Amino acid sequence: MKNSRRHFLQQIAASAATLPFLSAYDAFGNSNFSASNLHPIIPQGPTLRVALMGLGGYASRVAEAMQSCKRAKITGLISGTPAKLDDWGARFAVPEKSRYNYENFDAIKDNPDIDAVYVITPNALHHDQAIRVAKAGKHVICEKPMALNAREGQEMVDACSRAGVKLLVGYRMHFEPKTVEVVRMRAAGEFGKIKFFQGLSGFRIGDPSQWRLNKQLAGGGAMMDIGIYAINGARYMVGEEPIWVTAQETKTDPVKFKEGVDETILFQLGFPSGAVASCLSTYNMNNLDRFFLNGEKGFAELQPSTGYGPIKGRTNNGELTQPHVTHQTLQMDRMAGIILDGDTPLIPVDGQEGLKDLKIIDAIYRACATGTKEELNLG
Ligand code: NDP
């Protein structure tokens, strides 16, 4: 009797953990994807008018991709480099009145041509910039990692909630068709009970003087930048929130990877159902972009799993054939739907989602320091 009650409670806990993914799928999958191949269809609707903040490498990619958007458009620019404001302003037809620098961008509140600001600056700047955008009454789209730690992330969530604006994180994989198909199959039970996930995320980083290797600007090392894909992927592939983490750090080059800048971290996550994940985050090895999900009835493998694509993958049913769509084009069209129409994506991209990853990162760093298992309570 006692045992069956415990089993029942465990079942409830496990299904509660998967619920956000399943319920979101029902709302999203039926309305926004064709049943046959999950080819993304962008529903008609108003255009999201976006100001890009931080005109660097990734913003260039986003800006180019947005030229093919059906529902999102660049209508503002924020930069610390005047020449970029001139150049990008001319290239993307953004008038001078909608170009700002980091000192004066609070004035965006009086600009009726801007609905949202996409923060694409170094990690350490996200927190203050996102809060200023929220105070200006504009929606925030913020690059990953959303902030340096969970405390900062919570402050951003609270500020956006107080201001009545949405906070979204640039998790482009959450809209990627092959990823979405694997998540759909898992949520539909096609792999059976999930037992194991492996996430390998890394590359060999170059220029030692870049901000990504500066603790002050990056908040850490590979974990903040690329390891976060394995964390986030573990959550959406398994479909549960982890309840514990263990982690081990190794460093072979303490000159390049200074104190507080992690080079390589191995970490393990445990989930309420008993599923486990084994992950690697590194700045010192190439050819690491692989997700593997194993269940009692089947498996999914994505390799590459989080690069700019095309993503490739297969399941026990064969090769995944969903079409490649430029990730940032799809992301921005979908985010227009989320912000302007209240759409619910299959895999959440809101501030709570970003905050959960930050709580896990905090716990991974703690586990590296203490060598002990860290409990997680992601709510
Ligand atoms: P870059 O260094 O290429 O660009 C960052 C830009 O931020 C700079 O060009 C600069 O633009 C602005 N900036 C403001 N203050 C500083 C400062 N103190 N030091 C350096 N730059 C500053 O970085 P990325 O574009 O690669 O990365 C930006 C963010 O995007 C990061 O959070 C990163 O994690 C994320 N990212 C996400 C990716 C994804 O796939 N989702 C991929 C790559 C990055 P300006 O001169 O206009 O002020």
Side-chain angles (χ1 to χ4, degrees), residues 82 89 97-98 115 138 234 236 311 320 322 359:
K97 69 177 174 54
S98 296
D115 304 310
K138 305 295 180 181
Y236 63 69
I311 300 303
L320 290 163
Q322 287 68 26
K359 286 180 178 171

Side-chain angles (χ1 to χ4, degrees), residues 251-263:
K251 194 173 281 197
T252 61
D253 187 347
V255 177
K256 188 168 184 181
F257 305 103
K258 303 218 161 40
E259 180 69 30
V261 179
D262 49 286
E263 175 190 315

Side-chain angles (χ1 to χ4, degrees), residues 55 57-58 79-81 84 102 123 143-144 172 211-212:
L55 308 181
Y58 192 60
S79 170
T81 312
K84 287 188 197 169
Y102 300 116
N123 309 341
E143 254 320 312
K144 46 58 56 179
R172 61 189 159 76
W211 68 260
R212 280 182 168 75

Side-chain angles (χ1 to χ4, degrees), residues 53-61 78-81 84 102 118-126 129 143-145 170-172 211-212 217 224-225 229 306 308 328 331:
M53 180 189 292
L55 308 181
Y58 192 60
S60 299
R61 189 175 283 274
I78 304 163
S79 170
T81 312
K84 287 188 197 169
Y102 300 116
Y118 194 164
V119 178
I120 320 184
T121 51
N123 309 341
L125 309 179
H126 296 176
Q129 290 170 339
E143 254 320 312
K144 46 58 56 179
Y171 287 130
R172 61 189 159 76
W211 68 260
R212 280 182 168 75
L217 284 170
M224 302 301 287
D225 190 35
Y229 285 98
T306 64
Y308 297 135
Q328 297 81 5
Q331 172 200 328

